[in-house]
Amino acid sequence: MNQEEMSRAEESKNRILLAAAGVFSRKGLHGARVDEIAAAAKINKRMIYHYFESKENLYVEVLRYNLQKIQQFSQGAFVPGGDPVENVTRTLRQYFYFLAEDEEFVRLLSWEALNRGHYSSKLLPQLFHLFQSDLGQILQEGITRKVFRRDLDVGQILLSIHALCLAYFTRREMMQPIGSGNRMSGEMLEDRLNHILDLVFQGILNRPE
């Protein structure tokens, strides 16, 4: 395969992944049809099986592609030697707005939760590692500098932050009738983010006795 053929193949695979992400996010693995994905990608169905072999393999690759977005958004959030509070605030803000702006990612995680993480369980260690390598490093530096409590369980804090941010978007339609206003408006997103930040810092800051 020459360079031009490799380039065309890569472009076709990316087109399939993007189309499949849209279909899987709306219908889940079991509700999605390969014919529908092929039509959305404007590609022959046989090419999907050529590149990915099965609908299940394509679904796993869609999950992998989306989880890798975590690494992209987190780049630049951590400033080595910077103020730990500012680093946590910056990283959490970027993650929160990443979820706000990527409905496909949120819906894919929701489908996986309904299916007990059957496929994502193979990939979640990668996601957790990305959290731990960035936000975990920030928390550890804050502990070392005595800005954060020395008895912090970094793993538990990471899980709590993930849950606090993600739940707002996976449950927003169900919770919309409670209260007033559009929960995805700029004002309400900022209110929610500030509430999460307040909860997090109430739990992690090292307060003098």
Side-chain angles (χ1 to χ4, degrees):
M1 185 181 292
N2 60 38
Q3 189 65 36
E4 184 179 350
E5 290 172 330
M6 290 175 62
S7 178
R8 284 202 304 268
E10 193 64 28
E11 190 274 334
S12 295
K13 289 175 69 175
N14 287 337
R15 202 161 73 242
I16 292 168
L17 281 172
L18 291 173
V23 176
F24 285 136
S25 71
R26 293 193 306 273
K27 300 187 174 182
L29 170 63
H30 302 299
R33 295 173 60 246
V34 173
D35 286 331
E36 186 177 7
I37 295 170
K42 297 180 180 178
I43 202 165
N44 190 299
K45 181 171 71 172
R46 288 177 296 179
M47 298 307 295
I48 294 178
Y49 291 107
H50 172 71
Y51 290 126
F52 300 99
E53 297 183 355
S54 69
K55 183 173 75 168
E56 289 75 14
N57 284 351
L58 174 57
Y59 179 71
V60 170
E61 288 308 308
V62 165
L63 288 177
R64 191 191 313 278
Y65 170 80
N66 275 271
L67 291 176
Q68 286 173 344
K69 293 178 182 178
I70 298 292
Q71 187 173 28
Q72 296 170 8
F73 96 82
S74 65
Q75 289 176 350
F78 174 46
V79 179
D83 178 72
V85 172
E86 292 180 3
N87 275 336
V88 168
T89 301
R90 187 183 304 108
T91 304
L92 207 155
R93 172 176 287 277
Q94 289 192 18
Y95 181 53
F96 183 82
Y97 276 103
F98 161 72
L99 295 175
E101 294 165 6
D102 197 327
E103 187 175 0
E104 280 188 0
F105 181 89
V106 172
R107 287 186 177 277
L108 284 167
L109 291 188
S110 296
W111 279 112
E112 269 302 284
L114 287 172
N115 288 293
R116 301 183 179 183
H118 180 72
Y119 292 94
S120 62
S121 61
K122 304 170 185 177
L123 304 173
L124 281 177
Q126 174 190 9
L127 172 62
F128 190 74
H129 172 72
L130 293 173
F131 267 105
Q132 201 163 30
S133 64
D134 294 314
L135 186 52
Q137 186 177 355
I138 294 170
L139 292 170
Q140 193 58 57
E141 183 171 330
I143 294 169
T144 302
R145 293 170 60 175
K146 299 182 180 179
V147 176
F148 301 147
R149 290 165 40 194
R150 65 181 180 181
D151 62 342
L152 278 187
D153 185 324
V154 172
Q156 291 287 359
I157 293 295
L158 294 175
L159 287 172
S160 294
I161 288 173
H162 175 62
L164 284 167
C165 291
L166 186 61
Y168 186 78
F169 301 104
T170 57
R171 302 290 186 268
R172 67 181 176 87
E173 291 166 343
M174 181 177 67
M175 302 298 290
Q176 182 62 50
I178 301 174
S180 59
N182 176 8
R183 292 186 178 274
M184 293 300 289
S185 70
E187 182 180 359
M188 292 196 75
L189 287 172
E190 274 297 299
D191 285 347
R192 181 59 188 172
L193 174 59
N194 287 328
H195 177 72
I196 292 172
L197 286 167
D198 184 59
L199 284 177
V200 170
F201 286 122
Q202 285 285 343
I204 70 175
L205 284 176
N206 185 21
R207 302 186 184 279
E209 298 180 0

